[in-house]
């Protein structure tokens, strides 16, 4: 995480000052938009130390190896999103890998767009446009986001407005707009899209997943999911209704 924070700081400063040279930087896609928050980096960061550059190289090698395994197995690699303190570095790694490994019509490396962020749609449009120009088929996973309180508190501590949409309706609209944009794009060309949503109107008919593992590891994850979409628990009764209906359908089919 420390390396991700350092790389993110350096990328943000380069966004502020394009003359700021990053000798280790590889080809990538747009990470920031005009509306992207840059308040995390208040002063010019020091260059990476030799030890940090070595760690960065090791990270690149591990990611390259993982991507190649996925290419060989024809399995998509979904890179998840984190809070905005480290997200620029994650996007940088993801897009650099996508340029190298996403070929033909099927993307292997997928980035994640958190649509509760005000700059999400603008970043998505910039990234897809640049990828299309380079002939790189892109895969994206769309989520709403999971760090609402953390993001707002951090921005407020520095005297800035929250990067999160002001209302849940704004977040839903952003998610739906980004979904429509990607689905239309995929219908007319290469690319792929995963809609990761707890919202009934935009996700429940497709698929579900079940986290499992030791309680002490699973509970923090589930609490974050509950915070991300407080309507999730309210929808559990509807889930039971659907399960009862499906169980009845299968019993009838078995009997008759």
């Amino acid at each position: 995480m420390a390396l991700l924070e350092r790389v993110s700081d350096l990328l943000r400063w380069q966004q502020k000052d394009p003359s700021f040279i990053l000798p280790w930087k590889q080809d990538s896609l747009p990470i920031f938009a005009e509306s992207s928050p840059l308040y995390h980096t208040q002063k010019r960061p020091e260059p990476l130390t030799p030890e940090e550059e070595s760690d960065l190289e090791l990270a690149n090698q591990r990611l390259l190896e993982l991507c190649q395994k996925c290419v060989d197995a024809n399995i998509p690699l979904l890179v998840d999103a984190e809070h905005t303190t480290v997200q620029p570095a994650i996007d940088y790694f993801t897009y650099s890998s996508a340029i190298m490994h996403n070929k033909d019509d099927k993307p292997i490396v997928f980035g994640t767009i958190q649509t509760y962020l005000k700059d999400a749609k603008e970043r998505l449009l910039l990234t897809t446009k640049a990828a299309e120009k380079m002939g790189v088929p892109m895969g994206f996973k769309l989520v709403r986001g999971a760090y609402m309180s953390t993001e707002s508190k951090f921005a407020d501590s520095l005297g800035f407005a929250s990067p999160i949409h002001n209302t849940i309706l704004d977040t839903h609209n952003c998610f739906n707009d980004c979904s429509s944009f990607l689905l239309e794009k995929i219908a007319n060309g290469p690319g792929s899209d995963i809609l990761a949503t707890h919202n009934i109107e935009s996700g429940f008919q497709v698929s579900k997943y079940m986290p499992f593992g030791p309680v002490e590891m699973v509970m923090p994850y589930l609490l974050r999911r509950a915070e991300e979409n407080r309507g999730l628990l309210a929808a559990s009764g509807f889930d039971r209704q659907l399960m009862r209906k499906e169980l009845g359908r299968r019993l009838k089919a078995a009997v008759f």
Side-chain angles (χ1 to χ4, degrees), residues 1-14 20 22 24 41 43-53 55-56 85-89 93:
M1 290 298 287
L3 182 63
L4 290 176
E5 288 177 5
R6 287 278 285 126
V7 171
S8 293
D9 276 336
L10 290 162
L11 291 168
R12 270 189 293 265
W13 197 263
Q14 188 181 60
F20 187 60
L22 302 175
W24 43 263
T41 309
K43 61 181 181 179
R44 181 188 176 101
E46 293 295 322
L48 293 180
T49 65
E51 183 180 359
E52 287 172 329
E53 286 202 23
D55 289 342
L56 181 61
T85 306
V86 296
Q87 190 58 42
F93 279 119

Side-chain angles (χ1 to χ4, degrees), residues 41-240:
T41 309
Q42 298 285 310
K43 61 181 181 179
R44 181 188 176 101
E46 293 295 322
L48 293 180
T49 65
E51 183 180 359
E52 287 172 329
E53 286 202 23
S54 175
D55 289 342
L56 181 61
E57 181 58 30
L58 288 172
N60 277 322
Q61 290 176 8
R62 286 194 291 268
L63 184 56
L64 283 173
E65 183 178 349
L66 183 59
C67 290
Q68 190 57 52
K69 293 284 187 183
C70 289
V71 169
D72 295 341
N74 197 28
I75 296 174
L77 175 65
L78 278 62
V79 183
D80 210 353
E82 284 288 338
H83 44 83
T84 55
T85 306
V86 296
Q87 190 58 42
I90 294 173
D91 285 340
Y92 163 72
F93 279 119
T94 303
Y95 298 153
S96 296
S97 300
I99 290 172
M100 287 186 279
H101 297 284
N102 290 7
K103 307 293 183 183
D104 302 321
D105 292 340
K106 185 174 182 181
I108 290 292
V109 182
F110 282 62
T112 297
I113 299 290
Q114 297 170 299
T115 60
Y116 73 165
L117 294 172
K118 293 173 182 175
D119 70 334
K121 185 177 179 181
E122 188 181 2
R123 281 189 294 110
L124 177 63
L125 294 176
L126 284 173
T127 303
T128 52
K129 183 178 181 180
E132 186 175 334
K133 188 175 181 180
M134 295 175 68
V136 178
M138 285 301 297
F140 287 101
K141 180 178 73 168
L142 292 185
V143 301
R144 283 174 172 79
Y147 303 98
M148 289 178 291
S149 59
T150 304
E151 295 286 6
S152 297
K153 287 177 182 177
F154 183 69
D156 185 63
S157 72
L158 296 175
F160 290 88
S162 172
I164 308 296
H165 284 299
N166 296 329
T167 69
I168 185 63
L169 181 59
D170 289 338
T171 295
H172 289 331
N173 288 338
C174 184
F175 185 93
N176 293 335
D177 286 348
C178 291
S179 300
S180 298
F181 168 75
L182 287 175
L183 291 172
E184 184 175 346
K185 197 167 187 62
I186 293 165
N188 297 294
S192 189
D193 181 26
I194 294 175
L195 306 181
T197 172
H198 302 301
N199 184 276
I200 290 178
E201 292 181 1
S202 61
F204 85 107
Q205 294 178 344
V206 183
S207 63
K208 294 191 176 185
Y209 72 97
M210 182 178 67
F212 66 93
V215 172
E216 65 273 12
M217 294 180 66
V218 172
M219 283 308 296
Y221 174 85
L222 293 177
L223 289 171
R224 278 172 49 196
R225 297 285 79 77
E227 182 185 14
E228 176 184 351
N229 190 338
R230 293 180 176 87
L232 175 64
L233 297 178
S236 60
F238 184 63
D239 283 348
R240 288 194 295 271

